[in-house]
Structures are given as C-alpha cells and as structure tokens.
Amino acid sequence: QEGIEFQTVTAGKFKRTLTPTKKVTQADLKKSKEDLEEVLGQFSGFVKENRPKLDIDAVATGETWFGNAALEKGLCDAIQTVDDTLLNYVDLGYNVYEVQYSPPPEVPQGLAQLLPAGSAEDDTFLRRAVRWAVGAVVDEVRMAVDEKSSVTQRY
C-alpha cells in the first residue's frame, strides 16, 4: 500500500512457505507442520537414545522446563555452574583448556600509522593531543592542496 514491493527469489516448491510478505495457504501450513513433526521426531529419538529411562512421550510436548523442574523430569543430571562442571572434569583427571579468540589488531591508515598502537582504553591526554595535532596538520595540508589550481586529482 505504501509503494513498497517485496520480491523473493527462490527455487523449489516449498522454499517460501511462511513469510511475512506472503499470504499463507493451507498447503504452506500443512508443509510447515510436517517439517516440525519431523524435527520433533528426530529430536525425541535422539533424547530417547541418550536417556533411555526417560518417558519421552511425557516430555516431548513442546513445553520448556527449567532448573529443578527439568531435573525432576530427568532432562538433566544435575544443576550446577559451568565452573563446577569443569572442576569436576579436572578432579577426574581430564585436561581442561580455555580457548579464546583475539581478532588481529586493525592496521591504521595514513598518518595514523605514525601514532603508537594502543587499545581504546589507552586514551591518555598525550595520545589525544598527538591525534589532535596530526589531524590539524592533515586539515592544513588538505586546504593548501585544494587552494592550488595547478593540482588536479588524478584518480
């Protein structure tokens, strides 16, 4: 109504069954329900295989249980923190490692390469003063270049 047109490019009969930009048909609902039933069957089978004493029909209802309710229904073995779990593994003789991802530092461009590298937390008065001075020099050079009519932009 507002002049906005939505277009979706797909391949396959059921690639766009439930979307906010399309009127839902009975076939779309039927296919979506079949897909959800398949997911439920696979998940229930996996849980049943790994927790054979669990009454899968009593818990595979789509409901969610947290904390003590999950423990009472047999959906978890204990309620404890991650630290407690890791310490239990250490006590059992396992090697427990911590993995941390640190992205590579960004490489500064232009005159910023002249500044010493540091973190955002390392914003001392001296660093701010140097940044201001470099920025002022860059502005002056730009103005001087712009004023000269013999200078042309090549690229």
mmCIF file of all heavy atoms in Angstrom, residues 90-132:
data_model
loop_
_atom_site.group_PDB
_atom_site.id
_atom_site.type_symbol
_atom_site.label_atom_id
_atom_site.label_comp_id
_atom_site.label_asym_id
_atom_site.label_seq_id
_atom_site.Cartn_x
_atom_site.Cartn_y
_atom_site.Cartn_z
ATOM 1 N N VAL A 90 38.337 -31.751 35.975
ATOM 2 C CA VAL A 90 39.726 -31.672 36.452
ATOM 3 C C VAL A 90 39.954 -32.726 37.532
ATOM 4 O O VAL A 90 40.962 -33.434 37.520
ATOM 5 C CB VAL A 90 40.052 -30.253 36.968
ATOM 6 C CG1 VAL A 90 41.385 -30.235 37.702
ATOM 7 C CG2 VAL A 90 40.063 -29.261 35.814
ATOM 8 N N ASP A 91 39.007 -32.833 38.469
ATOM 9 C CA ASP A 91 39.122 -33.832 39.541
ATOM 10 C C ASP A 91 39.170 -35.251 38.991
ATOM 11 O O ASP A 91 39.801 -36.131 39.582
ATOM 12 C CB ASP A 91 37.954 -33.702 40.524
ATOM 13 C CG ASP A 91 38.021 -32.421 41.345
ATOM 14 O OD1 ASP A 91 39.114 -31.805 41.394
ATOM 15 O OD2 ASP A 91 36.984 -32.036 41.917
ATOM 16 N N LEU A 92 38.518 -35.472 37.856
ATOM 17 C CA LEU A 92 38.516 -36.796 37.239
ATOM 18 C C LEU A 92 39.767 -37.052 36.408
ATOM 19 O O LEU A 92 39.926 -38.120 35.830
ATOM 20 C CB LEU A 92 37.265 -36.982 36.376
ATOM 21 C CG LEU A 92 35.943 -37.037 37.138
ATOM 22 C CD1 LEU A 92 34.765 -36.996 36.160
ATOM 23 C CD2 LEU A 92 35.875 -38.289 38.004
ATOM 24 N N GLY A 93 40.647 -36.060 36.326
ATOM 25 C CA GLY A 93 41.910 -36.232 35.620
ATOM 26 C C GLY A 93 41.912 -35.762 34.170
ATOM 27 O O GLY A 93 42.879 -36.000 33.452
ATOM 28 N N TYR A 94 40.850 -35.131 33.739
ATOM 29 C CA TYR A 94 40.813 -34.624 32.372
ATOM 30 C C TYR A 94 41.649 -33.352 32.255
ATOM 31 O O TYR A 94 41.810 -32.608 33.223
ATOM 32 C CB TYR A 94 39.373 -34.291 31.951
ATOM 33 C CG TYR A 94 38.512 -35.497 31.721
ATOM 34 C CD1 TYR A 94 37.750 -36.044 32.754
ATOM 35 C CD2 TYR A 94 38.444 -36.092 30.467
ATOM 36 C CE1 TYR A 94 36.947 -37.154 32.547
ATOM 37 C CE2 TYR A 94 37.643 -37.203 30.250
ATOM 38 C CZ TYR A 94 36.900 -37.725 31.297
ATOM 39 O OH TYR A 94 36.107 -38.813 31.075
ATOM 40 N N ASN A 95 42.165 -33.094 31.064
ATOM 41 C CA ASN A 95 42.813 -31.821 30.777
ATOM 42 C C ASN A 95 41.728 -30.849 30.339
ATOM 43 O O ASN A 95 40.996 -31.124 29.389
ATOM 44 C CB ASN A 95 43.856 -31.955 29.663
ATOM 45 C CG ASN A 95 45.031 -32.806 30.084
ATOM 46 O OD1 ASN A 95 45.469 -32.732 31.232
ATOM 47 N ND2 ASN A 95 45.546 -33.610 29.174
ATOM 48 N N VAL A 96 41.623 -29.737 31.019
ATOM 49 C CA VAL A 96 40.610 -28.737 30.691
ATOM 50 C C VAL A 96 41.339 -27.501 30.174
ATOM 51 O O VAL A 96 42.230 -26.976 30.830
ATOM 52 C CB VAL A 96 39.757 -28.383 31.934
ATOM 53 C CG1 VAL A 96 38.774 -27.275 31.614
ATOM 54 C CG2 VAL A 96 39.027 -29.627 32.433
ATOM 55 N N TYR A 97 40.956 -27.068 28.983
ATOM 56 C CA TYR A 97 41.613 -25.938 28.344
ATOM 57 C C TYR A 97 40.625 -24.794 28.160
ATOM 58 O O TYR A 97 39.422 -25.000 28.055
ATOM 59 C CB TYR A 97 42.145 -26.326 26.964
ATOM 60 C CG TYR A 97 43.177 -27.423 27.005
ATOM 61 C CD1 TYR A 97 42.801 -28.756 26.828
ATOM 62 C CD2 TYR A 97 44.508 -27.131 27.241
ATOM 63 C CE1 TYR A 97 43.742 -29.772 26.869
ATOM 64 C CE2 TYR A 97 45.453 -28.139 27.289
ATOM 65 C CZ TYR A 97 45.070 -29.455 27.098
ATOM 66 O OH TYR A 97 46.007 -30.446 27.153
ATOM 67 N N GLU A 98 41.163 -23.607 28.098
ATOM 68 C CA GLU A 98 40.358 -22.437 27.764
ATOM 69 C C GLU A 98 40.806 -21.970 26.390
ATOM 70 O O GLU A 98 42.002 -21.847 26.113
ATOM 71 C CB GLU A 98 40.581 -21.320 28.765
ATOM 72 C CG GLU A 98 39.816 -20.051 28.421
ATOM 73 C CD GLU A 98 40.015 -18.952 29.446
ATOM 74 O OE1 GLU A 98 39.753 -19.198 30.626
ATOM 75 O OE2 GLU A 98 40.453 -17.868 29.051
ATOM 76 N N VAL A 99 39.845 -21.706 25.525
ATOM 77 C CA VAL A 99 40.139 -21.219 24.185
ATOM 78 C C VAL A 99 39.550 -19.822 24.080
ATOM 79 O O VAL A 99 38.395 -19.600 24.443
ATOM 80 C CB VAL A 99 39.517 -22.134 23.102
ATOM 81 C CG1 VAL A 99 39.765 -21.575 21.712
ATOM 82 C CG2 VAL A 99 40.066 -23.542 23.241
ATOM 83 N N GLN A 100 40.371 -18.903 23.610
ATOM 84 C CA GLN A 100 39.915 -17.534 23.478
ATOM 85 C C GLN A 100 40.334 -17.005 22.116
ATOM 86 O O GLN A 100 41.471 -17.219 21.686
ATOM 87 C CB GLN A 100 40.528 -16.664 24.575
ATOM 88 C CG GLN A 100 40.085 -15.227 24.539
ATOM 89 C CD GLN A 100 40.667 -14.436 25.695
ATOM 90 O OE1 GLN A 100 41.326 -14.969 26.575
ATOM 91 N NE2 GLN A 100 40.422 -13.155 25.694
ATOM 92 N N TYR A 101 39.428 -16.356 21.448
ATOM 93 C CA TYR A 101 39.718 -15.775 20.146
ATOM 94 C C TYR A 101 40.020 -14.298 20.324
ATOM 95 O O TYR A 101 39.243 -13.570 20.936
ATOM 96 C CB TYR A 101 38.533 -15.936 19.195
ATOM 97 C CG TYR A 101 38.715 -15.177 17.901
ATOM 98 C CD1 TYR A 101 39.603 -15.625 16.937
ATOM 99 C CD2 TYR A 101 38.009 -14.008 17.649
ATOM 100 C CE1 TYR A 101 39.786 -14.937 15.758
ATOM 101 C CE2 TYR A 101 38.185 -13.312 16.471
ATOM 102 C CZ TYR A 101 39.076 -13.777 15.531
ATOM 103 O OH TYR A 101 39.257 -13.096 14.359
ATOM 104 N N SER A 102 41.140 -13.867 19.806
ATOM 105 C CA SER A 102 41.501 -12.450 19.797
ATOM 106 C C SER A 102 41.691 -12.040 18.346
ATOM 107 O O SER A 102 42.632 -12.493 17.694
ATOM 108 C CB SER A 102 42.800 -12.216 20.575
ATOM 109 O OG SER A 102 42.643 -12.583 21.915
ATOM 110 N N PRO A 103 40.815 -11.185 17.838
ATOM 111 C CA PRO A 103 40.956 -10.779 16.443
ATOM 112 C C PRO A 103 42.253 -10.006 16.249
ATOM 113 O O PRO A 103 42.744 -9.364 17.179
ATOM 114 C CB PRO A 103 39.734 -9.892 16.201
ATOM 115 C CG PRO A 103 39.279 -9.472 17.537
ATOM 116 C CD PRO A 103 39.711 -10.534 18.504
ATOM 117 N N PRO A 104 42.818 -10.069 15.048
ATOM 118 C CA PRO A 104 44.058 -9.324 14.810
ATOM 119 C C PRO A 104 43.797 -7.829 14.937
ATOM 120 O O PRO A 104 42.694 -7.365 14.641
ATOM 121 C CB PRO A 104 44.440 -9.703 13.376
ATOM 122 C CG PRO A 104 43.202 -10.223 12.762
ATOM 123 C CD PRO A 104 42.356 -10.769 13.870
ATOM 124 N N PRO A 105 44.793 -7.079 15.388
ATOM 125 C CA PRO A 105 44.589 -5.630 15.526
ATOM 126 C C PRO A 105 44.404 -4.982 14.163
ATOM 127 O O PRO A 105 44.948 -5.450 13.158
ATOM 128 C CB PRO A 105 45.880 -5.146 16.202
ATOM 129 C CG PRO A 105 46.890 -6.195 15.909
ATOM 130 C CD PRO A 105 46.137 -7.493 15.760
ATOM 131 N N GLU A 106 43.612 -3.913 14.145
ATOM 132 C CA GLU A 106 43.397 -3.190 12.899
ATOM 133 C C GLU A 106 44.653 -2.405 12.561
ATOM 134 O O GLU A 106 45.302 -1.846 13.436
ATOM 135 C CB GLU A 106 42.214 -2.240 13.042
ATOM 136 C CG GLU A 106 40.887 -2.956 13.186
ATOM 137 C CD GLU A 106 39.729 -1.987 13.209
ATOM 138 O OE1 GLU A 106 39.862 -0.869 12.668
ATOM 139 O OE2 GLU A 106 38.698 -2.350 13.766
ATOM 140 N N VAL A 107 44.987 -2.387 11.285
ATOM 141 C CA VAL A 107 46.153 -1.637 10.832
ATOM 142 C C VAL A 107 45.703 -0.219 10.515
ATOM 143 O O VAL A 107 44.822 -0.020 9.677
ATOM 144 C CB VAL A 107 46.773 -2.299 9.580
ATOM 145 C CG1 VAL A 107 47.952 -1.489 9.076
ATOM 146 C CG2 VAL A 107 47.165 -3.728 9.884
ATOM 147 N N PRO A 108 46.284 0.784 11.170
ATOM 148 C CA PRO A 108 45.876 2.163 10.896
ATOM 149 C C PRO A 108 46.280 2.588 9.486
ATOM 150 O O PRO A 108 47.250 2.087 8.931
ATOM 151 C CB PRO A 108 46.631 2.985 11.939
ATOM 152 C CG PRO A 108 47.412 2.043 12.765
ATOM 153 C CD PRO A 108 47.276 0.678 12.198
ATOM 154 N N GLN A 109 45.534 3.507 8.924
ATOM 155 C CA GLN A 109 45.787 4.007 7.580
ATOM 156 C C GLN A 109 46.337 5.430 7.649
ATOM 157 O O GLN A 109 46.080 6.152 8.598
ATOM 158 C CB GLN A 109 44.489 3.993 6.759
ATOM 159 C CG GLN A 109 43.859 2.625 6.626
ATOM 160 C CD GLN A 109 44.740 1.670 5.837
ATOM 161 O OE1 GLN A 109 45.322 2.043 4.826
ATOM 162 N NE2 GLN A 109 44.854 0.444 6.304
ATOM 163 N N GLY A 110 47.056 5.832 6.630
ATOM 164 C CA GLY A 110 47.527 7.211 6.500
ATOM 165 C C GLY A 110 48.461 7.623 7.614
ATOM 166 O O GLY A 110 49.301 6.850 8.082
ATOM 167 N N LEU A 111 48.315 8.870 8.074
ATOM 168 C CA LEU A 111 49.190 9.407 9.119
ATOM 169 C C LEU A 111 48.967 8.728 10.469
ATOM 170 O O LEU A 111 49.820 8.802 11.350
ATOM 171 C CB LEU A 111 48.982 10.914 9.259
ATOM 172 C CG LEU A 111 49.467 11.755 8.077
ATOM 173 C CD1 LEU A 111 49.133 13.219 8.302
ATOM 174 C CD2 LEU A 111 50.954 11.577 7.858
ATOM 175 N N ALA A 112 47.854 8.059 10.618
ATOM 176 C CA ALA A 112 47.582 7.359 11.877
ATOM 177 C C ALA A 112 48.608 6.260 12.122
ATOM 178 O O ALA A 112 48.809 5.836 13.257
ATOM 179 C CB ALA A 112 46.179 6.779 11.870
ATOM 180 N N GLN A 113 49.297 5.812 11.066
ATOM 181 C CA GLN A 113 50.334 4.791 11.232
ATOM 182 C C GLN A 113 51.484 5.311 12.090
ATOM 183 O O GLN A 113 52.234 4.545 12.672
ATOM 184 C CB GLN A 113 50.883 4.361 9.872
ATOM 185 C CG GLN A 113 49.886 3.626 9.027
ATOM 186 C CD GLN A 113 50.450 3.311 7.643
ATOM 187 O OE1 GLN A 113 51.580 3.638 7.333
ATOM 188 N NE2 GLN A 113 49.631 2.677 6.815
ATOM 189 N N LEU A 114 51.653 6.631 12.139
ATOM 190 C CA LEU A 114 52.742 7.216 12.913
ATOM 191 C C LEU A 114 52.476 7.179 14.409
ATOM 192 O O LEU A 114 53.403 7.311 15.208
ATOM 193 C CB LEU A 114 52.982 8.670 12.477
ATOM 194 C CG LEU A 114 53.329 8.854 10.990
ATOM 195 C CD1 LEU A 114 53.391 10.335 10.664
ATOM 196 C CD2 LEU A 114 54.639 8.172 10.660
ATOM 197 N N LEU A 115 51.212 7.032 14.782
ATOM 198 C CA LEU A 115 50.863 7.016 16.207
ATOM 199 C C LEU A 115 51.176 5.656 16.802
ATOM 200 O O LEU A 115 51.054 4.631 16.143
ATOM 201 C CB LEU A 115 49.371 7.309 16.400
ATOM 202 C CG LEU A 115 48.918 8.704 16.002
ATOM 203 C CD1 LEU A 115 47.417 8.799 16.116
ATOM 204 C CD2 LEU A 115 49.587 9.752 16.856
ATOM 205 N N PRO A 116 51.587 5.621 18.073
ATOM 206 C CA PRO A 116 51.815 4.322 18.709
ATOM 207 C C PRO A 116 50.503 3.568 18.847
ATOM 208 O O PRO A 116 49.460 4.166 19.101
ATOM 209 C CB PRO A 116 52.403 4.678 20.072
ATOM 210 C CG PRO A 116 52.026 6.098 20.304
ATOM 211 C CD PRO A 116 51.852 6.738 18.958
ATOM 212 N N ALA A 117 50.566 2.264 18.643
ATOM 213 C CA ALA A 117 49.360 1.433 18.748
ATOM 214 C C ALA A 117 48.955 1.323 20.201
ATOM 215 O O ALA A 117 49.784 1.334 21.104
ATOM 216 C CB ALA A 117 49.626 0.047 18.175
ATOM 217 N N GLY A 118 47.673 1.194 20.428
ATOM 218 C CA GLY A 118 47.161 1.041 21.788
ATOM 219 C C GLY A 118 45.704 0.670 21.730
ATOM 220 O O GLY A 118 45.080 0.700 20.683
ATOM 221 N N SER A 119 45.156 0.339 22.862
ATOM 222 C CA SER A 119 43.752 -0.045 22.918
ATOM 223 C C SER A 119 42.882 1.188 23.113
ATOM 224 O O SER A 119 43.368 2.279 23.392
ATOM 225 C CB SER A 119 43.535 -1.027 24.076
ATOM 226 O OG SER A 119 43.777 -0.361 25.293
ATOM 227 N N ALA A 120 41.573 0.992 22.966
ATOM 228 C CA ALA A 120 40.636 2.095 23.159
ATOM 229 C C ALA A 120 40.692 2.600 24.598
ATOM 230 O O ALA A 120 40.441 3.768 24.865
ATOM 231 C CB ALA A 120 39.225 1.641 22.807
ATOM 232 N N GLU A 121 41.042 1.722 25.532
ATOM 233 C CA GLU A 121 41.131 2.122 26.934
ATOM 234 C C GLU A 121 42.365 2.992 27.185
ATOM 235 O O GLU A 121 42.459 3.697 28.169
ATOM 236 C CB GLU A 121 41.186 0.890 27.851
ATOM 237 C CG GLU A 121 39.917 0.057 27.849
ATOM 238 C CD GLU A 121 39.884 -0.930 26.693
ATOM 239 O OE1 GLU A 121 40.954 -1.312 26.191
ATOM 240 O OE2 GLU A 121 38.778 -1.310 26.285
ATOM 241 N N ASP A 122 43.363 2.923 26.273
ATOM 242 C CA ASP A 122 44.614 3.658 26.433
ATOM 243 C C ASP A 122 44.465 5.034 25.780
ATOM 244 O O ASP A 122 45.162 5.376 24.847
ATOM 245 C CB ASP A 122 45.768 2.869 25.794
ATOM 246 C CG ASP A 122 47.119 3.527 26.049
ATOM 247 O OD1 ASP A 122 47.229 4.278 27.028
ATOM 248 O OD2 ASP A 122 48.046 3.291 25.245
ATOM 249 N N ASP A 123 43.501 5.810 26.251
ATOM 250 C CA ASP A 123 43.203 7.110 25.669
ATOM 251 C C ASP A 123 43.716 8.207 26.594
ATOM 252 O O ASP A 123 42.953 8.957 27.178
ATOM 253 C CB ASP A 123 41.689 7.220 25.438
ATOM 254 C CG ASP A 123 41.353 8.334 24.454
ATOM 255 O OD1 ASP A 123 42.230 8.707 23.654
ATOM 256 O OD2 ASP A 123 40.224 8.831 24.510
ATOM 257 N N THR A 124 45.028 8.293 26.718
ATOM 258 C CA THR A 124 45.637 9.254 27.623
ATOM 259 C C THR A 124 45.606 10.652 27.010
ATOM 260 O O THR A 124 45.358 10.833 25.820
ATOM 261 C CB THR A 124 47.093 8.874 27.916
ATOM 262 O OG1 THR A 124 47.826 8.913 26.684
ATOM 263 C CG2 THR A 124 47.187 7.488 28.537
ATOM 264 N N PHE A 125 45.906 11.625 27.833
ATOM 265 C CA PHE A 125 45.948 13.007 27.367
ATOM 266 C C PHE A 125 46.964 13.165 26.243
ATOM 267 O O PHE A 125 46.705 13.823 25.244
ATOM 268 C CB PHE A 125 46.289 13.947 28.538
ATOM 269 C CG PHE A 125 46.458 15.369 28.098
ATOM 270 C CD1 PHE A 125 45.361 16.151 27.783
ATOM 271 C CD2 PHE A 125 47.730 15.917 27.966
ATOM 272 C CE1 PHE A 125 45.514 17.454 27.358
ATOM 273 C CE2 PHE A 125 47.893 17.216 27.545
ATOM 274 C CZ PHE A 125 46.784 17.994 27.239
ATOM 275 N N LEU A 126 48.129 12.538 26.387
ATOM 276 C CA LEU A 126 49.171 12.640 25.375
ATOM 277 C C LEU A 126 48.696 12.072 24.038
ATOM 278 O O LEU A 126 48.899 12.682 22.985
ATOM 279 C CB LEU A 126 50.447 11.914 25.837
ATOM 280 C CG LEU A 126 51.616 11.937 24.847
ATOM 281 C CD1 LEU A 126 52.029 13.374 24.533
ATOM 282 C CD2 LEU A 126 52.796 11.162 25.400
ATOM 283 N N ARG A 127 48.041 10.905 24.063
ATOM 284 C CA ARG A 127 47.543 10.309 22.816
ATOM 285 C C ARG A 127 46.500 11.214 22.169
ATOM 286 O O ARG A 127 46.490 11.399 20.954
ATOM 287 C CB ARG A 127 46.944 8.922 23.076
ATOM 288 C CG ARG A 127 47.993 7.838 23.289
ATOM 289 C CD ARG A 127 47.326 6.475 23.452
ATOM 290 N NE ARG A 127 46.589 6.051 22.275
ATOM 291 C CZ ARG A 127 47.139 5.511 21.190
ATOM 292 N NH1 ARG A 127 48.428 5.345 21.116
ATOM 293 N NH2 ARG A 127 46.393 5.134 20.173
ATOM 294 N N ARG A 128 45.605 11.785 22.971
ATOM 295 C CA ARG A 128 44.596 12.694 22.413
ATOM 296 C C ARG A 128 45.259 13.927 21.808
ATOM 297 O O ARG A 128 44.857 14.400 20.744
ATOM 298 C CB ARG A 128 43.584 13.088 23.486
ATOM 299 C CG ARG A 128 42.658 11.943 23.889
ATOM 300 C CD ARG A 128 41.466 12.431 24.704
ATOM 301 N NE ARG A 128 41.819 13.230 25.847
ATOM 302 C CZ ARG A 128 41.942 12.793 27.102
ATOM 303 N NH1 ARG A 128 41.720 11.520 27.358
ATOM 304 N NH2 ARG A 128 42.267 13.595 28.075
ATOM 305 N N ALA A 129 46.279 14.446 22.477
ATOM 306 C CA ALA A 129 46.977 15.627 21.964
ATOM 307 C C ALA A 129 47.672 15.312 20.647
ATOM 308 O O ALA A 129 47.616 16.107 19.695
ATOM 309 C CB ALA A 129 47.989 16.124 23.003
ATOM 310 N N VAL A 130 48.326 14.160 20.561
ATOM 311 C CA VAL A 130 49.006 13.784 19.321
ATOM 312 C C VAL A 130 47.979 13.590 18.203
ATOM 313 O O VAL A 130 48.190 14.035 17.073
ATOM 314 C CB VAL A 130 49.868 12.513 19.534
ATOM 315 C CG1 VAL A 130 50.394 11.988 18.215
ATOM 316 C CG2 VAL A 130 51.009 12.799 20.500
ATOM 317 N N ARG A 131 46.861 12.950 18.506
ATOM 318 C CA ARG A 131 45.822 12.770 17.493
ATOM 319 C C ARG A 131 45.323 14.126 16.985
ATOM 320 O O ARG A 131 45.119 14.323 15.792
ATOM 321 C CB ARG A 131 44.644 11.970 18.072
ATOM 322 C CG ARG A 131 44.863 10.505 18.097
ATOM 323 C CD ARG A 131 43.521 9.793 18.366
ATOM 324 N NE ARG A 131 43.798 8.490 18.881
ATOM 325 C CZ ARG A 131 43.558 8.087 20.138
ATOM 326 N NH1 ARG A 131 43.000 8.895 20.996
ATOM 327 N NH2 ARG A 131 43.855 6.870 20.522
ATOM 328 N N TRP A 132 45.090 15.053 17.921
ATOM 329 C CA TRP A 132 44.616 16.378 17.533
ATOM 330 C C TRP A 132 45.645 17.066 16.639
ATOM 331 O O TRP A 132 45.298 17.647 15.611
ATOM 332 C CB TRP A 132 44.349 17.233 18.779
ATOM 333 C CG TRP A 132 43.983 18.638 18.422
ATOM 334 C CD1 TRP A 132 42.761 19.105 18.068
ATOM 335 C CD2 TRP A 132 44.885 19.750 18.345
ATOM 336 N NE1 TRP A 132 42.828 20.441 17.771
ATOM 337 C CE2 TRP A 132 44.132 20.856 17.941
ATOM 338 C CE3 TRP A 132 46.240 19.903 18.580
ATOM 339 C CZ2 TRP A 132 44.699 22.116 17.765
ATOM 340 C CZ3 TRP A 132 46.803 21.155 18.409
ATOM 341 C CH2 TRP A 132 46.043 22.242 18.004
#
